[in-house]
Amino acid sequence: MSYVVKEALAGFRRTKGMGLISVGTTAVSLVVFGGLLLILLSLYGLIDQVKSRVQIEIYLSDAATREQILELEKRLKAMPEVKKLLYVDKEMAAAEFEKTFGEGFLDAISQNPLPASLKVTLTSGYRSSEKIAAIIKAVEKEKAVEEIEYGRKWVEKLDRLIYILSFVAVLVTLVIGAASVFVISNTVNLTILARRDSIEIMRLVGATDSFIRAPFLLEGIIGGSLGGSIAAALLYFVHRWLSLRFPSLSLVPGAELAAWLMIPLGMALGGLGSRLAIRRILRHLP
Amino acid sequence: MSYVVKEALAGFRRTKGMGLISVGTTAVSLVVFGGLLLILLSLYGLIDQVKSRVQIEIYLSDAATREQILELEKRLKAMPEVKKLLYVDKEMAAAEFEKTFGEGFLDAISQNPLPASLKVTLTSGYRSSEKIAAIIKAVEKEKAVEEIEYGRKWVEKLDRLIYILSFVAVLVTLVIGAASVFVISNTVNLTILARRDSIEIMRLVGATDSFIRAPFLLEGIIGGSLGGSIAAALLYFVHRWLSLRFPSLSLVPGAELAAWLMIPLGMALGGLGSRLAIRRILRHLP
Amino acid sequence: MIQMHHVYKTVGNTTVLEDVSLQVEKGEFVFLLGPSGAGKSTVLRLIHFDERPTQGWVRLEDYNSSTIKSRHIPLLRRRVGMIFQDFKLLRDRNIFDNVAFALEVTGAKKALMKRRVLQTLTLVGLGHLRNMMPVQLSGGEQQRVSIARALVNQPFALLADEPLGDLDKEAASDILQLLRDLNHQGTTVLMATHDTELMETLPYRCLMIEKGKIF
Amino acid sequence: MIQMHHVYKTVGNTTVLEDVSLQVEKGEFVFLLGPSGAGKSTVLRLIHFDERPTQGWVRLEDYNSSTIKSRHIPLLRRRVGMIFQDFKLLRDRNIFDNVAFALEVTGAKKALMKRRVLQTLTLVGLGHLRNMMPVQLSGGEQQRVSIARALVNQPFALLADEPLGDLDKEAASDILQLLRDLNHQGTTVLMATHDTELMETLPYRCLMIEKGKIF
Ligand SMILES: Nc1ncnc2c1ncn2[C@@H]1O[C@H](COP(=O)(O)OP(=O)(O)OP(=O)(O)O)[C@@H](O)[C@H]1O
Ligand SMILES: Nc1ncnc2c1ncn2[C@@H]1O[C@H](COP(=O)(O)OP(=O)(O)OP(=O)(O)O)[C@@H](O)[C@H]1O
Ligand SMILES: [Mg+2]
Ligand SMILES: [Mg+2]
C-alpha cells in the first residue's frame, strides 16, 4: 500500500509538468461546468422569484353570504397549492381603485361597483398554468364566486419561457458535462500514454495489471480531486463576491455549496479517466 | 515544402490516436465556446425584443388645441429616438378602459374622465431609461402635455438586468474562452511532448529548429482547423434545428454564421499551441 | 526446464522462426549462438512469454504457451530473470528503484528489498551509482543494471540476451563468472550471444540458430 | 581536424572527464579505448557538440565550442556522422525514412535522396528491411541502421560509438572494412570501443581513456 502511495506521488514529479497540466485541465473544465450549474441555479431562482408574484383573484358575487365566503376560504386553505389568502372587501377594492385612477371617480357614482375579492398566492412549485386551472375548476362553481382572474397570458408566457430555459439548460448541461468528461479523461489519457513504455517494461518484469494500475489510479484520483478543489474554491469565492456585488443574483440561498460538488466530481473523473486509459494500454500490450 | 506537408500528415498516423484526441478536444472546446456565443447572441435578441415594447404615454390636457397637439407630434417625430407615434383620442381611451374594466362603468358618469394620449414607440438602441428621460424633458413643458407616464420602474429594472447580463456574459465569455485556449493548447502540448524523444533525435541528426518546427506547426493548424470545422458544422446545424423547434430563440438573424468563426479560431489555437509546445521543448534540449 | 516444440513465428509476411525445437534441462547452461538477425532474441522472448508462437508451443516448467492464462504470466516472469538486449530500464526512476521494482512486484518486505537490491548492485559493480538515473549511465553500466534486475529475484532460470555486449573484457568476464556461479547453485541459464569465442572457451552446450532455424 | 584542449566535464558532483586533451588529424583513423564507464561516449558527445565542456574547449574544423553559435550546430552535425551507442532511431518512421532524414535536413533532392539511401542501406546489408519499423529489427540490424544514417551524408568525419557491439563477427568485419574504406577515401574516423583485440590487429593509433583521464 505504501508503495502505491509513494508511486502515485512520484508520478507527478516524474512526468514533469504533465501532472500539472492534467490538474489544470481538470480545474478549468470543472470551473466551466460548475459555473454553468451555478448560473442555472440563479436563473431558476430568478424565475421562481418572478413567479411568486403570480396571483389568482377570485371576485365574489355581491350576493354572497358570509357563510359562503367562509366556506370558500376554508376550501381554498385546504389546498396544498394555496400559500396565502387575502380577503379584500368592497371598500378596500374601492380605495385601491382610487389610488390607481385618482380620486373623484367613484364619488360620481351612487353605488360602489367594485366587487370584493380573495387574492390567492400560490405555493412555489404549483405556479404553472395547469395547476392554476385546476384550482379555478375546483372553486368556480361555488355560489360566492362571480369571476376568477389571473394573468393567464403572462403565466403561459412564463411557462413557455421556463420550458425553453429548461430545455436549453438540460442541453447545455449535458454538452458541457460531456465536454468536461471528454477533456479531462483525454488529458489523463495523454499523460498515461506518455508513460506507455514504462508500463510495458513493468509488465515484462512481472508486474500484474492491478499492480501497475493502482498507482496510476491513485494518481488520477489525487490529480482529479486537486483540480476539483481548485475549481470548487474558485467557484465558491467568485460566487460569493458576485452575490455581494450583485445581490439580485444571489437568489438561491446556499447555491455556492454546489461548488463543492466539483471535488468528488474531479476525483471520480480523474480516477475513471486513469482507469480507462490504463486499461486501454494494458489491453494492447502483448 | 512537400516534406513538411508529408510529415504533418504522417504525424496524425504516427501518434496513433493522439491526433484524434487533439482534434476531438479542439472540437469539443470550440463547441462549448461557440455555443455560448450563440446563446449570448440569442439572449441579446430576446432582451431587444422585450425592450421594443417599452412605450411612453403622453397624456394630453383636455384643454390642448389641435394646433398644439400637431406641434407636439411634429417635435416628437423629428427625434431619432422616436420610431412610431400613435394618437389615442378620448373616445378610444374610454373604449379601451371599458374593454379592461367592463362596460357600464363610464356610463354612470356624465362626462368622460379619460384623457387623450400619444403613445410613443422607441427606436431600438434608444430604449434606456436615460434616453427616455431626455425625451420626456424635451416635451414635458409643452402646453398640450398634461402628464407623461412610462414603465419607469420596469425600464430601470430591465436596464439593470442588461447590465448584469452583460457583466456575466463578458465574464463567462472570458472564462470559457480562456478555458478553451488552455485546454486546446495543453492537449496539443501533450501530443507534442509525447514525441520529445523524436525531436531530440532530429536535433542530433542535424535538423534546424525551424525544420523540426514546420511539420508540427502545420499538423497543429490542420488539426485545429479540423476540430474547428467539426465544431462549426455542429453548432450551425444544432442552431438551425433549435431555431426551427423554438422560433422564439432565433431572434438574431444570421447568428448561426458566428459558428463558422470556430474554423479560423481552431486553426489559430492549434497552430499557436503547437508553436508554444515545440518551442518549450526545443529550448530545453541541449 | 525449457522446451520449444516445433515453434513457428511469423509476423506479417516475415517468417522469424521456422520449426524451432529445443530443450534446456534444469540447471543447464546453454549458449544460443547465431549471427545478427538469426532469431535469438525472438527465441528468448517466446520463452519469456513476451510473444506467443504462431505454431507449436513453448514450455517453461509447468507453464505452457498453449494453455497458460494471461494472469499467470506475471507470476512466471517473477521467477525467470530476463536480461534484455536493449536493457529496458524504467527511465523515470533511479537505478535502485529500477532494480527494486522486480522485487516490489512480488510484494517483498521493505528491509529485505533494500538489502537484496544493494547486494545485487554491488555484485555487478554498481553500488555507487544507485541514486543515478538511467540516462546518466554509460552503456555498459545500463547493461549491468539490467543484469542486476534480472538476478535480484533469485530466479530459477535466467534468459540473457547478449548480456556482455556493452562490457569491456574485464567486466564481461566478471559478469560471466557471476552467471556461472549462479548456474552452479542450480539456476538454468540460456544465453543468446554472437560471440563465438566465448563458447569455445567454455564447456557448455551450444545451440546454433541461423535465419530462424536451429542447427 | 578534431581537437580537445584541457577539457573537464562535471555533472553535478560527478567528474566525468578530467583534463582531457586529444587531437585527431584530418584523414586519421583513431581508436578511443577504455573500460565501461571510462568516458568514451562523453568524449564523442562533446565532439558532436551534444554537450558542452565544463572547462577547456573542443574544436572540430572551424567550429570551436567556446565560440560557436547555437544555430551553427545543426550545420556541423550534418557534416559529421555520429553512430550512437544506443542507436537513437526515430521509432515513429521506417528504416528508409530514418536514414533519409539525415539527408532531408540538408534539403537534398528527392531522387538523389532515394538513390543514396538505398545505396547506403545495401552497403550495411539492410536493403531488404527498408520498409520495416525500428522495433521490428533485431539489435544488430538497428545498429546497422544507425551506421547507415551516419554515412548517408558522406560526412568528412565519423564519430562511431561502439559501432560493432551488437554485431556478429562476420557483420562486424564487414562494417569495419566499410569504415576503413571510407577512411581511405579521406574521412576522419574516431571510434570508441572496449574491444582491445580489434586495436591489436589494426595499424591505427589508439587513445586510452580510463576514469575520465586520457593516458
Ligand atoms: N515484430 C517483427 N516484425 C517483423 N520482423 C521481425 C519482428 N521481430 C523480429 N523480426 C525479424 O526477425 C529477425 C530475427 O530477429 P531477432 O531480434 O530475434 O534477431 P537476433 O538473433 O536477436 O539478432 P541480433 O543479434 O542482431 O540481436 C530479424 O531479421 C527481424 O527483422
Ligand atoms: N549526465 C551525467 N550525469 C552523471 N553522470 C554521468 C553523466 N553522463 C555520464 N556520466 C558518468 O560518466 C561516466 C562515463 O560515461 P560514458 O558514457 O562516457 O562511459 P563510456 O566510456 O561510454 O562507457 P561504456 O563503454 O559503458 O559506454 C559514467 O560512469 C557515467 O555514469
Ligand atoms: Mg537480438
Ligand atoms: Mg559509451
Side-chain angles (χ1 to χ4, degrees):
Chain A
M1 190 59 215
S2 98
Y3 162 78
V4 174
V5 176
K6 204 189 73 191
E7 282 290 298
L9 295 177
F12 287 102
R13 185 169 36 72
R14 282 183 191 138
T15 48
K16 283 176 203 133
M18 280 200 176
L20 226 67
I21 289 180
S22 190
V23 170
T25 302
T26 307
V28 163
S29 303
L30 290 180
V31 161
V32 169
F33 180 66
L36 180 84
L37 272 186
L38 289 181
I39 290 175
L40 284 182
L41 269 177
S42 302
L43 210 63
Y44 271 109
L46 191 75
I47 289 168
D48 208 57
Q49 207 189 40
V50 168
K51 275 190 144 186
S52 74
R53 295 192 194 131
V54 170
Q55 268 189 348
I56 306 179
E57 293 187 49
I58 301 177
Y59 293 104
L60 302 174
S61 145
D62 281 359
T65 64
R66 199 173 155 67
E67 284 70 40
Q68 284 173 334
I69 295 174
L70 283 175
E71 170 64 22
L72 179 62
E73 281 193 26
K74 222 171 93 189
R75 283 203 55 188
L76 284 167
K77 274 188 177 149
M79 294 182 182
E81 292 92 336
V82 175
K83 189 177 167 194
K84 231 175 72 187
L85 209 55
L86 182 73
Y87 177 68
V88 179
D89 65 18
K90 284 178 75 80
E91 284 69 43
M92 283 157 75
E96 216 168 279
F97 184 89
E98 294 209 323
K99 224 171 82 195
T100 314
F101 295 95
E103 276 172 50
F105 250 93
L106 294 171
D107 298 347
I109 321 174
S110 51
Q111 161 214 32
N112 180 353
L114 298 171
S117 65
L118 280 171
K119 298 200 168 163
V120 180
T121 308
L122 297 169
T123 315
S124 110
Y126 289 100
R127 286 170 193 149
S128 69
S129 45
E130 294 113 58
K131 293 284 174 195
I132 293 173
I135 295 171
I136 290 173
K137 204 165 173 205
V139 298
E140 68 185 350
K141 292 279 150 60
E142 290 279 331
K143 280 246 172 60
V145 176
E146 170 96 28
E147 205 185 341
I148 300 179
E149 228 173 57
Y150 72 100
R152 170 181 219 95
K153 267 196 157 168
W154 199 64
V155 170
E156 274 170 2
K157 206 156 199 165
L158 215 60
D159 272 1
R160 178 141 185 87
L161 183 69
I162 290 165
Y163 175 61
I164 292 178
L165 272 179
S166 309
F167 182 83
V168 171
V170 168
L171 193 85
V172 170
T173 309
L174 282 179
V175 167
I176 302 246
S180 299
V181 171
F182 182 82
V183 163
I184 293 172
S185 65
N186 272 345
T187 305
V188 171
N189 196 354
L190 286 176
T191 64
I192 289 182
L193 265 180
R195 284 181 279 174
R196 196 203 317 233
D197 291 353
S198 292
I199 293 172
E200 193 169 345
I201 293 173
M202 288 176 182
R203 259 241 186 135
L204 288 178
V205 181
T208 56
D209 286 1
S210 55
F211 187 86
I212 296 173
R213 202 185 294 125
F216 282 102
L217 215 66
L218 186 59
E219 192 185 321
I221 291 173
I222 294 175
S225 55
L226 223 66
S229 304
I230 295 172
L234 211 81
L235 286 173
Y236 182 78
F237 288 110
V238 167
H239 189 276
R240 267 193 48 179
W241 178 75
L242 279 179
S243 340
L244 291 177
R245 179 105 182 64
F246 305 103
S248 43
L249 279 178
S250 66
L251 298 163
V252 180
E256 68 273 16
L257 293 177
W260 302 115
L261 265 179
M262 298 305 119
I263 299 178
L265 212 62
M267 217 182 246
L269 286 178
L272 221 72
S274 292
R275 205 187 142 70
L276 291 177
I278 192 94
R279 196 207 309 196
R280 210 170 315 154
I281 288 177
L282 287 174
R283 201 184 297 143
H284 286 101
L285 287 181
Chain B
M1 190 59 217
S2 98
Y3 162 77
V4 174
V5 176
K6 203 188 74 192
E7 282 290 299
L9 294 177
F12 287 102
R13 186 170 35 75
R14 282 184 190 137
T15 49
K16 283 177 204 135
M18 280 201 176
L20 226 67
I21 289 181
S22 190
V23 169
T25 302
T26 307
V28 163
S29 302
L30 290 179
V31 161
V32 169
F33 180 65
L36 180 83
L37 274 185
L38 289 182
I39 290 175
L40 285 181
L41 271 177
S42 302
L43 210 63
Y44 272 107
L46 190 74
I47 290 168
D48 208 58
Q49 207 190 41
V50 167
K51 275 190 143 189
S52 75
R53 296 192 191 131
V54 170
Q55 269 191 346
I56 306 178
E57 291 187 50
I58 302 177
Y59 293 103
L60 302 173
S61 145
D62 281 0
T65 65
R66 196 168 158 70
E67 284 70 40
Q68 283 171 336
I69 294 173
L70 283 174
E71 170 64 23
L72 180 63
E73 279 194 25
K74 223 171 90 188
R75 283 202 54 189
L76 283 167
K77 272 190 175 148
M79 293 182 183
E81 291 91 336
V82 175
K83 191 176 164 194
K84 232 175 72 189
L85 210 56
L86 183 72
Y87 177 68
V88 179
D89 65 19
K90 284 177 76 78
E91 283 69 44
M92 282 156 74
E96 215 167 282
F97 184 89
E98 293 210 321
K99 221 172 85 196
T100 315
F101 295 94
E103 275 172 54
F105 251 90
L106 296 169
D107 298 347
I109 319 172
S110 50
Q111 160 214 37
N112 180 354
L114 297 171
S117 65
L118 279 171
K119 299 203 165 158
V120 181
T121 308
L122 297 169
T123 316
S124 115
Y126 290 98
R127 287 170 192 148
S128 70
S129 46
E130 294 115 57
K131 293 285 174 196
I132 292 173
I135 296 171
I136 290 173
K137 206 166 171 204
V139 298
E140 67 186 348
K141 293 280 148 62
E142 289 280 333
K143 280 244 173 62
V145 174
E146 169 97 25
E147 202 186 341
I148 299 179
E149 226 173 57
Y150 73 100
R152 170 181 221 94
K153 268 194 156 170
W154 201 65
V155 170
E156 275 170 2
K157 206 155 196 164
L158 214 59
D159 273 1
R160 179 142 183 84
L161 185 69
I162 289 164
Y163 174 63
I164 292 178
L165 272 179
S166 310
F167 182 83
V168 171
V170 169
L171 193 86
V172 169
T173 309
L174 282 179
V175 167
I176 302 249
S180 299
V181 170
F182 183 82
V183 163
I184 292 172
S185 65
N186 272 344
T187 305
V188 171
N189 196 351
L190 286 176
T191 63
I192 290 181
L193 265 181
R195 285 180 280 175
R196 196 202 320 233
D197 290 354
S198 291
I199 293 171
E200 194 169 342
I201 293 172
M202 288 176 182
R203 261 246 187 127
L204 288 177
V205 180
T208 56
D209 287 0
S210 55
F211 186 86
I212 296 173
R213 202 186 294 126
F216 282 102
L217 214 66
L218 187 60
E219 192 185 319
I221 291 173
I222 293 175
S225 54
L226 222 65
S229 305
I230 294 171
L234 210 79
L235 286 173
Y236 182 79
F237 289 110
V238 167
H239 188 277
R240 267 193 48 180
W241 178 74
L242 279 178
S243 343
L244 291 177
R245 179 102 181 66
F246 305 101
S248 43
L249 281 178
S250 67
L251 298 163
V252 180
E256 68 273 16
L257 293 177
W260 302 115
L261 267 178
M262 299 304 118
I263 299 177
L265 212 63
M267 217 183 245
L269 286 178
L272 222 72
S274 292
R275 207 188 141 68
L276 292 176
I278 193 95
R279 195 205 311 193
R280 211 171 313 155
I281 288 177
L282 287 174
R283 201 185 296 142
H284 286 103
L285 287 182
Chain C
M1 204 258 277
I2 302 168
Q3 193 182 355
M4 291 178 81
H5 182 82
H6 297 295
V7 167
Y8 288 75
K9 177 73 187 175
T10 50
V11 184
N13 295 324
T14 358
T15 302
V16 180
L17 293 182
E18 207 181 322
D19 197 19
V20 169
S21 294
L22 62 82
Q23 188 156 345
V24 177
E25 297 305 329
K26 212 175 161 74
E28 248 195 311
F29 193 126
V30 175
F31 283 119
L32 185 60
L33 236 101
S36 174
K40 304 182 293 294
S41 299
T42 307
V43 165
L44 294 191
R45 278 201 297 269
L46 283 165
I47 296 170
H48 199 239
F49 288 61
D50 300 347
E51 291 177 17
R52 300 291 186 94
T54 313
Q55 249 183 65
W57 49 259
V58 179
R59 196 157 71 80
L60 181 66
E61 296 283 289
D62 330 322
Y63 305 102
N64 189 307
S65 67
S66 51
T67 55
I68 196 170
K69 290 191 183 105
S70 293
R71 70 194 145 86
H72 288 140
I73 292 180
L75 304 177
L76 175 156
R77 288 183 184 152
R78 290 177 200 173
R79 300 181 54 210
V80 181
M82 173 96 161
I83 303 169
F84 298 95
Q85 192 173 10
D86 55 354
F87 317 149
K88 294 215 186 291
L89 302 182
L90 294 161
R91 54 183 189 167
D92 56 10
R93 61 197 80 196
N94 68 21
I95 301 312
F96 182 94
D97 289 343
N98 259 282
V99 176
F101 190 82
L103 277 174
E104 214 126 37
V105 295
T106 65
K109 288 253 168 20
K110 217 164 174 166
L112 172 80
M113 198 163 72
K114 187 162 183 185
R115 188 154 40 81
R116 278 264 285 283
V117 171
L118 289 179
Q119 210 174 310
T120 315
L121 278 175
T122 311
L123 218 56
V124 298
L126 292 182
H128 59 296
L129 297 178
R130 62 178 173 279
N131 294 321
M132 297 277 229
M133 299 301 277
V135 281
Q136 300 181 311
L137 298 196
S138 81
E141 287 161 353
Q142 288 185 35
Q143 185 155 47
R144 278 177 284 165
V145 176
S146 184
I147 293 169
R149 185 179 56 189
L151 300 183
V152 75
N153 256 344
Q154 305 184 310
F156 73 83
L158 203 58
L159 306 170
D161 197 352
E162 211 78 74
L164 314 174
D166 276 275
L167 297 178
D168 56 288
K169 269 256 136 57
E170 206 178 325
S173 79
D174 284 357
I175 295 290
L176 188 62
Q177 193 52 52
L178 182 63
L179 298 185
R180 292 184 71 185
D181 289 350
L182 287 171
N183 177 245
H184 275 301
Q185 290 157 33
T187 311
T188 313
V189 179
L190 178 57
M191 177 167 156
T193 182
H194 51 246
D195 190 345
T196 41
E197 274 162 50
L198 204 65
M199 135 222 144
E200 280 161 18
T201 59
L202 292 173
Y204 298 132
R205 185 154 70 95
C206 224
L207 293 167
M208 303 296 285
I209 186 168
E210 213 175 319
K211 292 193 181 148
K213 287 191 201 133
I214 289 271
F215 292 99
Chain D
M1 206 257 279
I2 302 168
Q3 195 183 352
M4 290 178 82
H5 183 81
H6 297 295
V7 167
Y8 288 75
K9 177 72 187 178
T10 50
V11 184
N13 295 323
T14 355
T15 302
V16 179
L17 294 182
E18 206 181 324
D19 196 21
V20 168
S21 295
L22 61 82
Q23 187 155 348
V24 177
E25 300 304 330
K26 212 175 159 74
E28 248 194 312
F29 194 124
V30 176
F31 281 120
L32 183 62
L33 235 101
S36 174
K40 306 181 293 294
S41 298
T42 308
V43 165
L44 295 191
R45 276 199 299 267
L46 282 165
I47 296 170
H48 199 238
F49 287 62
D50 299 348
E51 292 177 17
R52 300 291 187 93
T54 312
Q55 248 184 65
W57 48 258
V58 178
R59 195 157 71 80
L60 181 65
E61 296 284 289
D62 332 322
Y63 304 102
N64 189 305
S65 66
S66 51
T67 55
I68 195 170
K69 291 191 181 103
S70 293
R71 70 194 145 86
H72 288 140
I73 292 180
L75 305 176
L76 174 157
R77 288 185 184 151
R78 290 177 201 174
R79 300 180 52 211
V80 182
M82 174 97 161
I83 302 167
F84 297 95
Q85 191 173 10
D86 54 355
F87 318 149
K88 293 210 185 296
L89 302 182
L90 295 161
R91 54 182 187 168
D92 56 11
R93 60 198 81 195
N94 68 21
I95 300 314
F96 182 94
D97 289 343
N98 259 283
V99 176
F101 191 82
L103 277 174
E104 214 126 37
V105 296
T106 66
K109 289 252 168 22
K110 215 162 173 164
L112 172 79
M113 198 164 73
K114 184 159 185 187
R115 188 153 41 80
R116 278 266 283 283
V117 171
L118 288 179
Q119 212 174 310
T120 315
L121 278 175
T122 311
L123 218 56
V124 298
L126 292 182
H128 59 297
L129 297 179
R130 62 179 174 278
N131 293 322
M132 296 277 226
M133 299 301 277
V135 282
Q136 301 180 310
L137 298 196
S138 81
E141 286 160 352
Q142 288 184 36
Q143 185 155 48
R144 280 178 281 166
V145 177
S146 184
I147 294 169
R149 185 179 56 188
L151 301 183
V152 76
N153 256 344
Q154 304 183 312
F156 73 84
L158 204 58
L159 305 171
D161 196 354
E162 210 80 72
L164 313 175
D166 276 276
L167 298 179
D168 57 289
K169 270 256 136 63
E170 206 177 325
S173 81
D174 285 355
I175 295 290
L176 189 62
Q177 193 52 50
L178 182 62
L179 298 186
R180 293 183 70 183
D181 291 349
L182 287 172
N183 177 245
H184 274 300
Q185 290 156 33
T187 311
T188 313
V189 179
L190 178 56
M191 177 167 155
T193 180
H194 52 246
D195 189 346
T196 42
E197 274 161 50
L198 204 64
M199 137 223 143
E200 279 161 17
T201 59
L202 292 172
Y204 297 133
R205 185 153 69 94
C206 223
L207 292 167
M208 303 296 287
I209 186 167
E210 213 177 319
K211 290 191 182 150
K213 285 189 202 136
I214 288 271
F215 291 97

